[in-house]
Amino acid sequence: MSVPFTSVQPRRILAFGAATAAAAAAVLLGGATPAQAIANPTVVSVVTAAGAAGNASATASCPPGLTLVGGGGRIAGAAGLVTMTDVIPDVAGNLVTVNGNETGAGTGVVWAVEAIAICDPVIVGVVRVSAVSALDGVASKAVTAFCPANTSLTGLGYQLRGAGGDVFPDDVVPTLSSATVAAFDNGAGATWSVESFALCAPVPAGAVPSIETASTGLNANAAKTITTPGCANPDRTVGTGARMTGAIGNAIVTQMAPNPVATRGVASADAYNGFAGNWRLESFAICW
């Protein structure tokens, strides 16, 4: 379920700890060196052929020598009519799979699904942890996967089981140590579950992970897209997220992705079935 969001101003969340304190001390002592980028990600994208099938799937794989650190997805060509039911990061396979399912009885429109893998040559030791809800007919569910000790979040994803296109992800929200996913049944009465995936890695010396966010206004606009501020130079985007407030099962996230050069996060969503209430969309970029 959505957590109320009270500001539309961009925000930056920092990981404060030993690395931060050491950097501050170096500045005070005059011994600081120029900042060096910790992550150097490559964005890999695979798009299905456009068609009018009831469901479609795409998988993006990291090239040899690069490690999967995050992912995302996009639905193109079916505004508010296709649910991005799964964004599944597979650390063992070094890939991300994205599934799309038409809502209700189908749409008859032409659409495509895109899978996005964020791959990096520097970050190592990535693990995937998950948390899953009960499989039942409860209309709203939220679960949080927590990173192990001495690691920080690099990316996240989710999987909806048993819902087809009739349960809508509402929140795919990162913190520096967790991934929370919330979803709502849009009234279909499905029996379903939601699983949250967190990709986590040890933080290299000198790195200070952070999260950039930005939000649209709270209004009744049917289509929304919002891009975060850029990661603080020289950091790069290794994971993305999205959150809706006020829609409560009446809007569909259609994009959760980095920009092509992996410096920002982009989120898009569309109102479902003529929903005319006020709602807000927030985008997240995980920066390393």
Side-chain angles (χ1 to χ4, degrees):
M1 64 187 66
S2 295
V3 178
F5 182 75
T6 58
S7 172
V8 298
Q9 299 301 314
R11 297 182 297 157
R12 187 174 186 224
I13 304 166
L14 294 172
F16 291 101
T20 307
V27 170
L28 290 172
L29 294 173
T33 57
Q36 299 295 317
I38 298 301
N40 185 27
T42 295
V43 178
V44 179
S45 171
V46 173
V47 186
T48 63
N55 57 77
S57 179
T59 297
S61 300
C62 290
L66 302 184
T67 298
L68 179 72
V69 294
R74 185 180 292 111
I75 301 294
L81 297 173
V82 174
T83 305
M84 192 159 59
T85 53
D86 310 297
V87 178
I88 306 172
D90 179 351
V91 171
N94 224 22
L95 53 84
V96 173
T97 297
V98 176
N99 296 316
N101 285 268
E102 293 187 345
T103 60
T107 68
V109 301
V110 173
W111 58 279
V113 61
E114 180 177 2
I116 298 167
I118 306 174
C119 313
D120 191 78
V122 180
I123 300 172
V124 296
V126 177
V127 297
R128 189 185 81 174
V129 294
S130 66
V132 63
S133 74
L135 178 67
D136 56 30
V138 174
S140 64
K141 298 183 174 78
V143 289
T144 300
F146 293 94
C147 287
N150 301 315
T151 66
S152 187
L153 189 76
T154 64
L156 67 166
Y158 63 89
Q159 183 172 16
L160 296 172
R161 294 186 178 91
D166 294 322
V167 170
F168 302 162
D170 190 77
D171 304 342
V172 188
V173 178
T175 72
L176 294 169
S177 60
S178 67
T180 297
V181 178
F184 290 91
D185 185 337
N186 71 355
T191 296
W192 60 284
S193 68
V194 58
E195 185 169 8
S196 173
F197 300 108
L199 301 186
C200 312
V203 180
V208 183
S210 64
I211 297 176
E212 296 285 352
T213 76
S215 175
T216 67
L218 181 67
N219 55 50
N221 292 349
K224 294 181 169 69
T225 294
I226 184 71
T227 300
T228 70
C231 292
N233 189 45
D235 291 352
R236 303 286 298 282
T237 299
V238 295
T240 63
R243 171 165 56 191
M244 294 186 291
T245 301
I248 313 178
N250 289 295
I252 297 176
V253 174
T254 55
Q255 178 177 209
M256 187 181 75
N259 65 338
V261 293
T263 56
R264 303 172 186 266
V266 185
S268 300
D270 290 282
Y272 172 69
N273 199 28
F275 176 62
N278 291 329
W279 58 291
R280 173 185 289 123
L281 175 66
E282 186 177 3
S283 180
F284 297 82
I286 306 169
C287 306
W288 277 54

